[in-house]
Amino acid sequence: MRRIRELMIEPLEPQVRLDQIVKLIAKHMATEVCSLYVLRADGVLELYATEGLNPGSVHLAQLRLGEGLVGTIAATARPLNLTDAQNHPAFTYLPETGEEIYATFLGVPVLRAGRTLGVLVVQTKAAGRHYPEEESEALETVAMVIAEMIAAGGLEGLSRPGVTLDLTRPVSFDGVPLCDGIGIGRVVLHEPRVVVSSLFNEDVDSEVSRLTEALAILRESIEDMLARRDVADEGEHRAVLETYRKFAQDRGWVRRLEEAVRNGLTAEAAVEKVQSDMRARMMHLTDPYIRERLHDFDDLANRLLRQLIGQGSVNGDVTDAVVVARNMGAAELLDYHRGQIRGLVLEEGAATSHVVIVARALGIPVAGQVKGAVSMSEKGDAIIVDGESGAVHLRPPPEVHDLFSDKLRFRAERQQRYRSLRDEPARTRDGVSIGLQMNAGLLVDLPQLAESGAEGIGLFRTELQFMVASTMPRASDQERLYRAVIEAAEDKPVTFRTLDVGGDKLLPYLSHAPEENPALGYRAMRLALDRPGLLRTQLRALLKAASGSAIRIMFPMVTDLSEIHAARALIRRESEHLARFGYAPPRSLMIGAMLEVPSLLYQLDPLMAELDFVSIGSNDLFQFFFAVDRGNANVANRYDDLSVPFLRALRDVVRAGERHDVPVSLCGEMAGRPLSALALIGLGFRNISMAPPSIGPVKAMLMALDAGALAGELHTLLDDGEEAGSARALLKDFAERHAIPY
Ligand code: PEP
Ligand code: MG
């Protein structure tokens, strides 16, 4: 090790350095042959240096991944230690190397962060010799040094021109689209790999004590966390920590760490080496349980590394960051500077996870379920996230980069066109004014009110504040948020929807019994009316925040009129309570309900008589109307929200509103799709609410629309078209005939 260390710092040409390393290993291990193969971007292992084989075959001899003994080692990331190599089923003979009969063979993978970058091999003629475990360990340690050389770019350009190494290979992943948009930038690892810069120890014994001490501190910190009440009460956190405790005590792990130190590595390099070996071996396994445990081990190893060398290197000031993470909490995303993030790539992540909700609010493109993204990425690598398809392109070739640059430019131009419409009135060609409002839920959404040109907030999802927090927001926090929203909206109307939790929106700090059908379960108003403490606190916070201003309060998932009576009673009670304490009441208070459950369709007249306004939650109404789980990709798109029966239901609500002079709006996702919005206007909706980026496209559509002409055609279809399953074809045809962008 000492000689290798000297070789690493001597000012040598890279090829000379490699040649000397293999020579040194051969001499030290008393073997006839020592060779290094490096993995190229095209999946070929190329001979980069040899002692003992034909020197003329360097940079000429090649093996494919999986081919021969060397290819097998690279493909499996496992060492091979053989006493009779020629008779191994994977053996292949490479004539150009002048290879003779070498019976004894030991090969180890060159690994970095679990990725195979090459293979290091020693061979001897004498049969029956077996390389002991220590020699295999020692060879792996040298391989680690070589891995660092490769990662630092030290071997670039040694082969023929045009050859690129695997570390710089472009990789594309098929993820799941979680938030639309295109992000082009450079990798920022959310949990930066701790960079181990000092590899060799000066004194084995003192290094072993450093390691032992760090392990003791690590174990102690885990015990401390386990002893904390908040953790002890949390089933899931506790389970993870229990696993950490088991791993931290794992004899095999500790033994491998100590062995690596005894082979000359520093304690931190030993942790990295053992972890890299483990990753490489386990990455091929598909068992989700084992993969999860691997993540746990990674976390633990990172903790130990930080213990040994302090905090990991920070990511620095990247202005075009694409954050790559296994997963992260919503608050962690907010810690980044919004202006610096171009995209987010998650190995896990689902459409409803909190971090994705926040990313959507911030307009950050997100791809999720991108398996392997963290270990394949290096800090600073070029990367593209396509939030439209879910694809991620790591180290993209120039053609791919150009393609996405064009796409990005096209999108920016389109947004620019929409922005130019911002101050135009949302009026159809035949003079019908349509109220276009936006959906929101967090403070970060508010700037969009001015930027999008929305006329107000048609749906403020108050549960988002609860979902992104790790503990229940206090009454004062709620009030502060509501006041900030009312102030930011100035004179524009804001409709606050009371807590809509349960179903797929679970709060980690609120206990929920598992339910067979959560969408039909104990959620929203059902939960709120049974545990009125939560709803009353929220209503009080809303009324206080709106003291002297106008406010609209709306209840979600109403199924039965008695729920409206109960909710109104709670509002009355809180208003009286506040009046007793001298709070001025809101200047105006409107009370509404969401129409999301089909039972309300058959009591529209009494419903309208109870309310100041109604907003249709088409996401849920559609789910219950067609009995399709909105979150289940296998069925969610099976039926059409422009189908005749569904449009008839929507029209019935509009007509009931007209009869009672109660405004009816719609705030589900369909309001933001231009063709569906066109249908809604045709049905008679004069107010709809949508995600802010949809306002531009919907406005462009309606400014080209003759609402009267459309209504005529659409009503005819709904009245007479018994055979017509869907109005989609008619609507498309109408749009095309009238050159309406949709
Ligand atoms: C809806 O159901 O259409 C709606 C707007 O509410 P959410 O998407 O929050 O359930
Ligand atoms: Mg809903």
Side-chain angles (χ1 to χ4, degrees):
M1 263 318 149
R2 189 178 45 77
R3 263 306 287 150
I4 296 257
R5 181 170 46 187
E6 284 164 11
L7 268 179
M8 293 306 287
I9 46 179
E10 258 175 61
L12 296 172
E13 288 294 316
Q15 186 65 55
V16 177
R17 198 190 314 276
L18 284 186
D19 293 345
Q20 303 235 0
I21 288 177
V22 289
K23 200 181 189 116
L24 186 68
I25 298 171
K27 181 165 163 233
H28 187 79
M29 292 179 73
T31 67
E32 279 121 314
V33 175
C34 175
S35 315
L36 171 69
Y37 297 82
V38 178
L39 185 60
R40 300 190 327 212
D42 56 2
V44 166
L45 288 148
E46 176 177 318
L47 183 65
Y48 260 60
T50 186
E51 169 69 13
L53 299 186
N54 173 11
S57 64
V58 169
H59 297 303
L60 289 178
Q62 306 180 348
L63 284 154
R64 296 225 134 253
L65 260 183
E67 185 190 355
L69 298 175
V70 169
T72 303
I73 294 167
T76 58
R78 283 175 178 279
L80 274 182
N81 192 347
L82 308 171
T83 46
D84 185 11
Q86 258 82 6
N87 287 325
H88 189 279
F91 180 81
T92 44
Y93 177 67
L94 291 182
E96 64 272 34
T97 60
E99 201 170 3
E100 297 175 41
I101 306 299
Y102 293 107
T104 313
F105 174 104
L106 169 64
V108 299
V110 175
L111 296 173
R112 185 159 191 279
R115 287 182 65 187
T116 303
L117 305 181
V119 174
L120 186 60
V121 174
V122 290
Q123 292 166 284
T124 44
K125 281 187 195 144
R129 175 176 169 190
H130 183 76
Y131 291 101
E133 182 79 357
E134 306 87 77
E135 293 199 0
S136 174
E137 284 283 337
L139 199 63
E140 284 182 40
T141 305
V142 180
M144 188 176 166
V145 177
I146 294 172
E148 290 306 317
M149 277 175 77
I150 299 176
L155 268 54
E156 244 21 279
L158 293 189
S159 185
R160 288 181 312 286
V163 167
T164 44
L165 299 187
D166 187 61
L167 197 73
T168 49
R169 170 168 61 100
V171 188
S172 293
F173 302 89
D174 281 327
V176 172
L178 294 181
C179 183
D180 193 17
I182 285 167
I184 302 182
R186 309 223 149 249
V187 168
V188 165
L189 290 169
H190 178 56
E191 285 173 332
R193 246 170 245 138
V194 183
V195 180
V196 176
S197 48
S198 109
L199 289 176
F200 304 110
N201 70 46
E202 301 284 339
D203 169 21
V204 168
D205 289 338
S206 67
E207 206 57 23
V208 170
S209 340
R210 261 187 83 220
L211 177 70
T212 314
E213 212 170 288
L215 276 166
I217 296 174
L218 177 75
R219 289 181 191 131
E220 216 170 285
S221 72
I222 296 172
E223 294 302 328
D224 281 354
M225 281 190 279
L226 273 165
R228 273 184 16 212
R229 260 204 68 79
D230 51 342
V231 174
D233 292 345
E234 272 291 342
E236 193 153 308
H237 293 174
R238 192 174 178 87
V240 171
L241 284 174
E242 300 267 15
T243 317
Y244 283 5
R245 169 154 69 183
K246 244 195 344 259
F247 287 164
Q249 310 281 4
D250 186 298
R251 289 259 197 76
W253 189 49
V254 175
R255 187 181 46 76
R256 281 198 296 280
L257 290 174
E258 281 182 5
E259 236 163 50
V261 170
R262 295 203 184 283
N263 277 323
L265 290 185
T266 57
E268 51 269 32
V271 175
E272 192 173 74
K273 172 179 181 299
V274 169
Q275 199 52 23
S276 201
D277 292 351
M278 179 132 64
R279 284 205 120 263
R281 282 165 210 178
M282 287 170 72
M283 246 160 52
H284 307 280
L285 305 175
T286 48
D287 181 334
Y289 178 78
I290 294 183
R291 294 188 67 98
E292 196 51 42
R293 296 288 77 79
L294 177 61
H295 279 311
D296 289 341
F297 245 126
D298 272 347
D299 286 349
L300 194 71
N302 264 326
R303 273 167 198 263
L304 188 54
L305 279 178
R306 280 196 287 270
Q307 186 61 48
L308 284 161
I309 45 178
Q311 282 303 308
S313 65
V314 278
N315 278 304
D317 260 350
V318 189
T319 49
D320 55 353
V322 171
V323 179
V324 179
R326 176 186 160 200
N327 210 346
M328 69 163 92
E332 289 174 286
L333 180 62
L334 291 168
D335 283 344
Y336 285 91
H337 220 285
R338 165 64 192 103
Q340 295 177 338
I341 302 196
R342 299 275 174 272
L344 179 62
V345 175
L346 298 174
E347 288 205 350
E348 299 172 5
T352 48
S353 63
H354 303 168
V355 65
V356 175
I357 292 170
V358 173
R360 210 172 286 146
L362 294 168
I364 299 172
V366 186
Q369 305 290 326
V370 186
K371 302 291 177 215
V374 172
S375 61
M376 296 298 277
S377 305
E378 291 284 332
K379 177 180 143 195
D381 277 350
I383 187 168
I384 296 171
V385 194
D386 180 353
E388 202 178 318
S389 70
V392 171
H393 304 280
L394 183 64
R395 302 181 285 267
E399 322 72 88
V400 175
H401 187 274
D402 292 351
L403 190 83
F404 279 91
S405 298
D406 286 350
K407 264 193 171 178
L408 195 63
R409 203 168 322 113
F410 173 73
R411 279 177 167 254
E413 281 164 14
R414 205 173 51 187
Q415 282 305 324
Q416 190 55 41
R417 275 203 304 283
Y418 295 142
R419 257 197 295 281
S420 68
L421 294 181
R422 189 183 58 186
D423 300 321
E424 298 282 324
R427 199 177 302 132
T428 62
R429 265 183 39 213
D430 54 337
V432 180
S433 288
I434 308 291
L436 298 184
Q437 306 216 23
M438 66 174 238
N439 297 346
L442 293 168
L443 271 181
V444 291
D445 292 324
L446 297 181
Q448 298 272 5
L449 197 51
E451 285 163 26
S452 67
E455 287 179 22
I457 298 179
L459 167 65
F460 190 88
R461 292 179 161 107
T462 61
E463 62 275 8
L464 294 194
Q465 181 189 22
F466 287 70
M467 288 169 69
V468 299
S470 51
T471 55
M472 177 86 76
R474 288 184 306 239
S476 54
D477 297 334
Q478 298 177 37
E479 187 187 330
R480 197 168 323 118
L481 172 67
Y482 305 151
R483 182 168 295 119
V485 175
I486 293 170
E487 281 170 7
E490 297 175 349
D491 286 335
K492 295 179 174 177
V494 182
T495 304
F496 289 96
R497 174 174 77 185
T498 61
L499 263 188
D500 183 12
V501 292
D504 61 344
K505 299 171 189 167
L506 295 183
L507 305 181
Y509 42 86
L510 203 68
S511 61
H512 283 273
E515 295 183 296
E516 193 125 329
N517 291 303
L520 308 179
Y522 198 41
R523 53 176 295 200
M525 286 303 274
R526 302 163 187 186
L527 202 135
L529 291 173
D530 282 8
R531 296 187 184 181
L534 203 61
L535 181 57
R536 275 177 47 201
T537 306
Q538 184 177 35
L539 290 172
R540 192 177 299 177
L542 282 166
L543 293 166
K544 270 173 140 178
S547 174
S549 319
I551 185 168
R552 295 158 59 92
I553 298 178
M554 168 163 86
F555 298 104
M557 279 289 292
V558 171
T559 311
D560 186 271
L561 297 194
S562 66
E563 290 159 352
I564 299 177
H565 301 154
R568 269 192 180 278
L570 287 179
I571 292 188
R572 229 176 0 254
R573 190 171 146 177
E574 289 311 314
S575 303
E576 286 163 10
H577 174 84
L578 289 176
R580 275 203 299 283
F581 284 89
Y583 282 95
R587 177 160 43 83
S588 84
L589 168 63
M590 308 266 272
I591 298 176
M594 294 199 65
L595 197 154
E596 308 185 271
V597 182
S599 65
L600 293 187
L601 293 171
Y602 297 91
Q603 43 190 330
L604 286 170
D605 287 308
L607 177 77
M608 295 293 169
E610 299 279 347
L611 295 168
D612 301 319
F613 65 93
V614 166
S615 186
I616 299 177
S618 53
N619 303 339
D620 276 315
L621 183 61
F622 184 81
Q623 137 162 293
F624 299 128
F625 195 85
F626 286 102
V628 277
D629 181 346
R630 63 192 265 187
N632 179 342
N634 286 330
V635 292
N637 298 320
R638 193 175 181 94
Y639 306 103
D640 192 351
D641 56 8
L642 297 179
S643 70
V644 168
F646 194 59
L647 294 187
R648 281 185 186 142
L650 298 182
R651 186 174 67 170
D652 285 349
V653 186
V654 175
R655 288 182 170 168
E658 284 165 2
R659 282 199 297 282
H660 291 264
D661 205 14
V662 170
V664 172
S665 169
L666 185 144
C667 59
E669 300 309 308
M670 68 183 288
R673 291 192 282 271
L675 192 69
S676 310
L678 175 111
L680 296 175
I681 296 171
L683 292 175
F685 283 87
R686 294 298 173 256
N687 208 313
I688 47 179
S689 189
M690 62 202 76
S694 296
I695 290 187
V698 169
K699 197 189 265 190
M701 174 281 292
L702 70 86
M703 288 171 75
L705 168 69
D706 182 335
L710 168 67
E713 293 191 27
L714 187 56
H715 287 306
T716 306
L717 177 79
L718 297 191
D719 291 335
D720 306 333
E722 276 312 322
E723 299 302 318
S726 171
R728 189 172 291 277
L730 176 141
L731 293 162
K732 275 190 172 168
D733 176 60
F734 184 92
E736 270 153 30
R737 264 186 284 128
H738 296 85
I740 299 168
Y742 67 93

